[in-house]
Amino acid sequence: MNKKEEVAPDVIVIGSGVGGGTSALRLAQRGLNVLVLERGDYLPREADNWSPKAVYVDRKYVGEDTWLDGDNRPFSPSIYYNVGGASKFFGCTMIRFRERDFEEVSHFEGVSPAWPITYHDLEPYYVQAERLYHTHGSAGIDPTEAPRSSPFLLPGLVSDPPMVALMEKVRRQGFKPFPQPAAIRMAPSGACIRCDTCDGYPCQVEAKADAEISVVQPALATGRVVLRTRTQVHRLILSDDGKNVTGVEVEHDGSREVLSARIIILSASAVNSAALLLKSACPQAPNGVANSSGVVGRHYMAHNNTALMAVSASKNETHFQKTIAMNDFYFGDKEFPHPMGCIHSLGKLKAGMMTAANKWVPDFVNAFIAARSFDWWIMSEDLPDPDNRVTVENGMIKLDTKRNNLRAHKELVKRMTRMMRKAGLPLILTKLMPAASTSHQCGTVRFGKDSSTAALDPFCRAFDHRNLFVVDASFFPSSAAVNPALTIAAQALRVADHIATEDFGIITTRTSESQLHHI
């Protein structure tokens, strides 16, 4: 333990991903001392970072957890324990929710509930989060784009020539593709080399603006943040009256201790945050911490996702492919007047990645297809079902989830298939991602205005315990149809400002550009 760790923290943050890292940085900027607890360690920079075999076949960087599915069958989830969390492997997409996503929305198979805050409550923090995460974008093209109080500071990504040509054919069909908002440190401020190992891989040259690079490192540089790695949290301990969290029981290198701070922020991911609250059940909270409403662990969502490969007769020489998004069908069309979702390009698929998903296909076939494919991610909203849930059985996490709203997703896949064929790509291959997928996990500790139907208030403070906050995608009451990362970061900034003012009496002012780690 170094000298800095001897200073009692004002706030303990559990998790160093987008929610935890962003919270820690803003709290430090407000003058508070923060202790961040990370279950994993720093991810090594090494050749395997960009190896399809290491990342996709051997799953070298995936946590060693075993969970149960709804039929009590064990499986190995794609979960990551390292500084920066899952953002070390994300595709850099940093896109805002649509304005309507914060409202009640009718879908083909049900209703997506309204959030307890509006888009305009979060909009100033979206601006700040985009700047923190070096987000490139071009406003005014996306047909569903919400109002902005400030433009992107960094220009939209430029596509490689084959993608430019394909998008021209798409525009001729009447659609409006736009540069995908992306958290990438391009030159001159960053070292991005526009490689073909971005989506799903850790960045060997630290050009991906993940949570470690964008917020954890700047937080540590303030001198007010201490990061303890290889430190697993086992439970939260409550006061005798149950109104406060008085201790965080942790294990480091086989030794256990109890840590304490005035404020506790839980940011361990939707599954693990819910599981920790449930594991912390005690006489004061017999159904789990923050769970008098009974919603903790329920309403699990992770989007309906399909990977689509549009295969050309000739080779696709695109190297840096993750540059385009399309929202033309986000809220439906005349043929299917219900929300369908978002389409965006994937990082270039490789033969090794396909082998991991399709072991029965010969390698030479995978290589032939991968060399000629344009690769897309098709994402639709799944609806919050209380029976899609996280529980803990005999100390083991159980993820019981069933698909819903799949008709809308199939309609979106149909439209993308038609679009690509009209653009001259005759062979379309699709793969629906498993229902138990843990990417984009959200919804298990929902926030709201009513303590009988939500675990958290609109500032993510637990209704049951006044010094506990949950700041990761757990708080989402709906999943919308875009990557959750930017919304997590924006709410983390909003919550941290609220904590500084309401719990520590710090009068907050507009954060300076230098504090924002402005580029």
Side-chain angles (χ1 to χ4, degrees):
M1 183 176 291
N2 61 38
K3 290 183 179 179
K4 185 61 186 175
E5 287 179 289
E6 295 173 2
V7 176
D10 298 305
V11 181
I12 291 176
V13 175
I14 302 169
S16 66
V18 172
T22 307
S23 299
L25 174 59
R26 175 51 60 88
L27 291 168
Q29 291 171 340
R30 298 308 187 199
L32 298 171
N33 293 316
V34 183
L35 173 61
V36 179
L37 305 176
E38 170 53 52
R39 178 170 173 174
D41 208 336
Y42 284 95
L43 201 73
R45 292 176 62 186
E46 57 187 5
D48 276 351
N49 292 163
W50 288 348
S51 164
K53 182 178 184 299
V55 173
Y56 284 93
V57 179
D58 299 338
R59 292 163 55 90
K60 178 176 182 177
Y61 303 109
V62 174
E64 297 180 355
D65 287 16
T66 298
W67 296 351
L68 299 175
D69 67 12
D71 296 317
N72 291 316
R73 294 172 300 197
F75 72 99
S76 299
S78 295
I79 199 81
Y80 300 97
Y81 302 121
N82 47 257
V83 177
S87 73
K88 297 297 291 185
F89 299 86
F90 82 154
C92 301
T93 303
M94 280 286 193
I95 187 169
R96 300 181 181 200
F97 273 29
R98 316 295 86 185
E99 190 172 5
R100 278 179 56 191
D101 286 331
F102 290 84
E103 304 167 1
E104 182 177 287
V105 178
S106 294
H107 291 259
F108 182 77
E109 292 185 23
V111 175
S112 179
W115 286 39
I117 61 175
T118 69
Y119 170 81
H120 296 283
D121 291 326
L122 208 55
E123 200 280 335
Y125 296 100
Y126 270 140
V127 173
Q128 296 173 28
E130 285 169 344
R131 296 179 183 184
L132 278 176
Y133 283 87
H134 306 257
T135 306
H136 292 255
S138 297
I141 308 173
D142 176 359
T144 67
E145 185 176 41
R148 300 179 59 91
S149 62
S150 180
F152 286 102
L153 290 185
L154 296 169
L157 298 178
V158 176
S159 295
D160 287 356
M163 185 65 82
V164 171
L166 177 60
M167 288 305 96
E168 180 56 32
K169 295 177 182 178
V170 168
R171 289 186 187 92
R172 289 188 203 130
Q173 297 178 44
F175 301 116
K176 298 179 180 179
F178 59 93
Q180 185 177 158
I184 299 177
R185 300 167 71 212
M186 292 285 186
S189 63
C192 182
I193 60 173
R194 295 178 63 90
C195 70
D196 58 358
T197 48
C198 188
D199 208 352
Y201 298 83
C203 185
Q204 196 177 140
V205 297
E206 296 190 343
K208 182 181 289 190
D210 55 49
E212 180 193 355
I213 300 300
S214 299
V215 290
V216 174
Q217 288 182 3
L220 295 173
T222 67
R224 291 187 174 275
V225 176
V226 170
L227 172 63
R228 289 180 57 170
T229 59
R230 305 188 313 281
T231 302
Q232 183 172 355
V233 176
H234 285 284
R235 67 182 178 117
L236 304 179
I237 301 169
L238 299 183
S239 58
D240 290 341
D241 63 6
K243 293 182 178 179
N244 285 285
V245 176
T246 58
V248 179
E249 184 179 314
V250 304
E251 180 177 352
H252 175 76
D253 292 343
S255 177
R256 293 205 183 198
E257 62 179 313
V258 175
L259 306 172
S260 62
R262 185 169 171 179
I263 296 294
I264 308 299
I265 297 177
L266 176 56
S267 302
S269 79
V271 172
N272 277 301
S273 287
L276 179 61
L277 295 174
L278 295 172
K279 289 177 181 178
S280 299
C282 59
Q284 302 94 313
N287 295 321
V289 167
N291 196 29
S292 64
S293 64
V295 303
V296 171
R298 295 186 180 273
H299 306 105
Y300 176 84
M301 298 167 284
H303 291 140
N304 290 317
N305 297 306
T306 287
L308 182 148
M309 302 178 73
V311 184
S312 170
S314 58
K315 285 190 176 182
N316 173 15
E317 301 295 344
T318 300
H319 201 62
F320 186 69
Q321 184 173 263
K322 196 173 176 65
T323 56
I324 296 294
M326 289 182 275
N327 280 333
D328 298 84
F329 310 108
Y330 196 92
F331 291 116
D333 61 13
K334 291 181 180 179
E335 183 183 348
F336 187 80
H338 307 280
M340 284 184 267
C342 176
I343 299 166
H344 58 74
S345 54
L346 280 169
K348 190 69 197 78
L349 291 181
K350 297 185 173 185
M353 300 163 68
M354 295 174 63
T355 298
N358 303 292
K359 295 181 173 61
W360 53 271
V361 178
D363 288 346
F364 77 90
V365 175
N366 284 327
F368 182 88
I369 294 172
R372 290 160 176 77
S373 68
F374 290 84
D375 314 303
W376 300 91
W377 190 253
I378 302 177
M379 181 162 54
S380 304
E381 184 166 351
D382 53 342
L383 303 178
D385 180 346
D387 292 328
N388 284 345
R389 63 187 300 196
V390 176
T391 56
V392 178
E393 299 188 2
N394 298 318
M396 182 174 287
I397 292 174
K398 180 176 180 177
L399 181 58
D400 186 356
T401 182
K402 295 179 177 61
R403 295 190 185 282
N404 62 47
N405 208 30
L406 202 55
R407 166 70 186 280
H409 183 64
K410 291 177 179 178
E411 291 290 338
L412 186 57
V413 173
K414 182 195 301 183
R415 279 152 181 75
M416 186 58 178
T417 297
R418 188 163 57 204
M419 183 194 301
M420 290 292 101
R421 283 180 174 155
K422 285 184 178 180
L425 303 174
L427 177 60
I428 307 296
L429 304 174
T430 63
K431 181 175 178 60
L432 180 67
M433 295 298 106
S437 169
T438 54
S439 64
H440 299 185
Q441 56 182 273
C442 60
T444 57
V445 195
R446 54 167 40 186
F447 73 167
K449 295 180 179 179
D450 185 346
S451 62
S452 68
T453 58
L456 311 171
D457 75 8
F459 284 98
C460 290
R461 187 192 300 267
F463 283 115
D464 297 347
H465 320 290
R466 53 184 168 236
N467 72 330
L468 174 64
F469 294 78
V470 181
V471 187
D472 52 30
S474 301
F475 74 81
F476 286 29
S478 65
S479 65
V482 297
N483 185 296
L486 186 68
T487 300
I488 298 170
Q491 177 70 346
L493 294 170
R494 179 174 178 267
V495 169
D497 278 352
H498 175 78
I499 290 171
T501 300
E502 297 298 321
D503 295 277
F504 293 93
I506 297 171
I507 299 175
T508 60
T509 57
R510 186 178 184 274
T511 303
S512 70
E513 296 299 316
S514 60
Q515 284 178 308
L516 281 172
H517 197 51
H518 172 46
I519 304 159

